[in-house]
DNA sequence: CGCTACGTTGATAGCTTTCAATTCAAGTGG
DNA sequence: CCACTTGAATTGAAAGCTATCAACGTAGCG
């Protein structure tokens, strides 16, 4: 059940059996949530964190005029708001983009883990630091990459992150989002996302249709995106 | 010397005397670095983290075409790359924007702190989580705010962050950056930053001249920026 | 005084948005 | 099995914001 999370951790460092057991004991409850359900509203006090087992979640913020910006997409194995353990409330909302299965980890149990397992604590810290690294890459995308390059970059990122938990092949992966969802990730309008997708398709780089990403030319795609996976920290090493 | 850092911490939770002492013992060396010096290059292995005592630092990433995006500005009291403690190498570079005084904290000493001081460890974790929150706000700015609103927002953010360490008054603060530096924060060109600054000035909101930000109408400025300081987590509370 | 970095301004081009329609796909009910 | 409905995808035309290119102004400095 928490296997995807373990896969994510083990891609960065070894996890001992007792640590694995401690993680399992953190989970208090597992729930299904329907698509479009908001799990956390910005500003809410929080006393548990959400581990995503299955489905797609996002973190987002919005402005008065109704425009919304997604700051991160979450896939199976992501601890979507582990940072709330220290923050106590969130500056963003968390929403299910598809039907999701989520596990709840009460902060008191996470606290218990931090008392007994210093290395695991550092691994949790690391996970939130990797989220921050993803944010930085998005800052670069939004600030300096063209719409095309930015879109290509998102597809590259998701291929690696989904691949890590066995949800992506070299040739593609399921991504049940609408173009409007993509637009909210990319800082674009859905109309322009549509044009960019067409361009990527006609250039033979990627196709996005029917909730599925099909990679046609991986090398060209990564070149267009100027994609360097270093920011995902995919090397196991002592942490 | 590390007072600004203590101010930052204490704005979020009480720090006990023994914790304060532990922080002081973390510092191995203090150095002056000239403006424009790169302290860390993206990809470098790191075994110490940099606490900024004085001056302005930035984290940035660049693209092949030479364009650069700053992902965060750092002011006195910021632990500019504390996240490297778990990451071991950085996905971005760190550069001095002005002459700076920096303190080095070897990771082995930070490790020692995490063994002896669980609460302080959470506070360090919190600091990196707040950096991530700042990243998210920038994602929102770059993705959805207009150039004007985005610029106004940056001035609001810096007023609070500098004010926290006694470096900003209600009416303004020193910010020895060039318009080109601002452009690299804001995802704009320096030419457009110039026009935006003119507009902000003529609208009577803020002035940026001679390395100094003068706030003319705080309320209108925050309204234009749609600024909500919640993302800076400025409430002391048990963490 | 001339160099140099930075700031300012104007004109033009280009990317992205906005607004509006139209097409498509899939599910519903007759 | 086929209208009907609905959300999503697609396309076109026009407007708008920001970039680009180029020139000029300003201030500090050796």
């Amino acid at each position: 059940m928490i296997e995807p999370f373990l896969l994510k951790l083990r891609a960065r460092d070894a996890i001992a059996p007792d640590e694995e057991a401690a993680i399992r004991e953190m989970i208090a409850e597992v729930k299904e949530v329907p698509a479009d359900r908001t799990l956390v509203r910005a500003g809410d006090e929080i006393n548990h964190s959400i581990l995503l087992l299955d489905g797609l979640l996002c973190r987002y913020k919005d402005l008065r005029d109704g425009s919304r910006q997604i700051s991160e997409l979450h896939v199976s194995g992501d601890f979507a708001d582990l940072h709330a353990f220290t923050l106590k409330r969130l500056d963003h909302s968390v929403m299910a983009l598809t039907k999701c299965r989520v596990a709840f980890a009460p902060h008191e149990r996470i606290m218990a883990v931090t008392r007994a397992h210093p290395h695991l604590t550092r691994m949790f810290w690391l996970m939130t630091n990797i989220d921050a690294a993803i944010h930085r890459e998005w800052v670069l995308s939004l600030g300096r990459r063209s719409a095309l390059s930015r879109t290509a970059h998102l597809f590259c990122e998701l291929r690696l992150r989904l691949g890590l938990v066995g949800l992506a092949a070299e040739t593609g992966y399921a991504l049940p989002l609408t173009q409007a969802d993509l637009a909210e990730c990319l800082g674009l309008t859905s109309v322009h996302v549509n044009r960019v997708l067409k361009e990527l398709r006609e250039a033979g780089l990627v196709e996005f249709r029917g909730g599925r990403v099909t990679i046609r030319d991986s090398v060209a795609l990564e070149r267009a995106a100027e994609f360097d996976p270093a920011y995902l920290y995919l090397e196991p090493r002592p942490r």
Side-chain angles (χ1 to χ4, degrees), chain A:
Chain A
M1 189 174 74
I2 60 159
E3 272 57 43
F5 182 49
L6 291 170
L7 283 168
K8 273 194 63 179
L9 290 171
R10 290 191 164 122
R12 277 80 179 205
D13 193 5
I15 299 297
D18 66 313
E19 292 178 326
E20 183 176 331
I23 293 171
R24 290 185 196 282
E25 279 164 26
M26 275 178 14
I27 308 302
E29 188 189 0
V30 173
K31 244 177 28 187
E32 286 247 336
V33 297
D36 295 318
R37 167 75 54 83
T38 296
L39 299 180
V40 182
R41 220 167 301 274
D44 286 354
E45 288 282 320
I46 301 203
N47 49 36
H48 62 252
S49 287
I50 298 173
L51 175 57
L52 177 56
L53 303 177
D54 208 63
L56 285 173
L57 282 179
C58 73
R59 312 184 188 180
Y60 70 90
K61 298 186 143 195
D62 31 35
L63 295 177
R64 272 196 304 268
D65 69 359
S67 61
R68 168 182 298 179
Q69 178 66 42
I70 292 176
S71 56
E72 191 171 354
L73 287 177
H74 285 297
V75 305
S76 300
D78 284 359
F79 228 130
D81 58 355
L82 180 54
H83 51 306
F85 173 61
T86 63
L87 295 172
K88 306 302 183 195
R89 64 175 171 76
L90 290 183
D91 53 276
H92 61 263
S93 304
V94 178
M95 188 180 72
L97 291 170
T98 66
K99 191 174 73 162
C100 288
R101 214 155 48 88
V102 299
F104 293 93
H107 286 173
E108 55 210 29
R109 296 202 193 177
I110 299 179
M111 182 70 95
V113 167
T114 65
R115 287 209 196 84
H117 299 276
H119 172 251
L120 203 47
T121 304
R122 289 197 300 279
M123 290 303 289
F124 287 180
W125 188 355
L126 171 68
M127 291 298 119
T128 63
N129 285 157
I130 291 175
D131 283 329
I134 291 171
H135 292 156
R136 285 190 289 276
E137 193 66 36
W138 284 37
V139 165
L140 175 61
S141 276
L142 290 163
R144 294 300 182 205
R145 283 188 175 95
S146 67
L148 187 96
S149 171
R150 199 185 306 170
T151 306
H153 195 279
L154 180 60
F155 289 145
C156 291
E157 171 178 318
L158 289 173
R159 180 165 61 134
L160 277 202
R161 290 177 56 198
L162 286 166
L164 205 56
V165 290
L167 293 176
E170 281 302 304
T171 56
Y173 52 87
L175 186 70
L177 297 181
T178 65
Q179 295 184 357
D181 293 329
L182 287 180
E184 294 183 342
C185 293
L186 297 168
L188 301 170
T189 58
S190 60
V191 172
H192 199 60
V193 165
N194 183 278
R195 296 188 224 272
V196 167
L197 290 175
K198 179 182 181 182
E199 203 177 337
L200 285 168
R201 188 189 326 132
E202 291 180 347
L205 301 186
V206 241
E207 275 180 44
F208 176 78
R209 299 186 78 84
R212 177 159 195 88
V213 174
T214 306
I215 293 170
R216 296 295 181 201
D217 185 339
S218 179
V219 173
L221 181 66
E222 296 198 354
R223 182 155 25 85
E226 206 161 319
F227 182 74
D228 175 355
Y231 75 98
L232 294 172
Y233 295 91
L234 293 170
E235 327 90 33
R237 57 182 293 173
R239 308 267 181 184

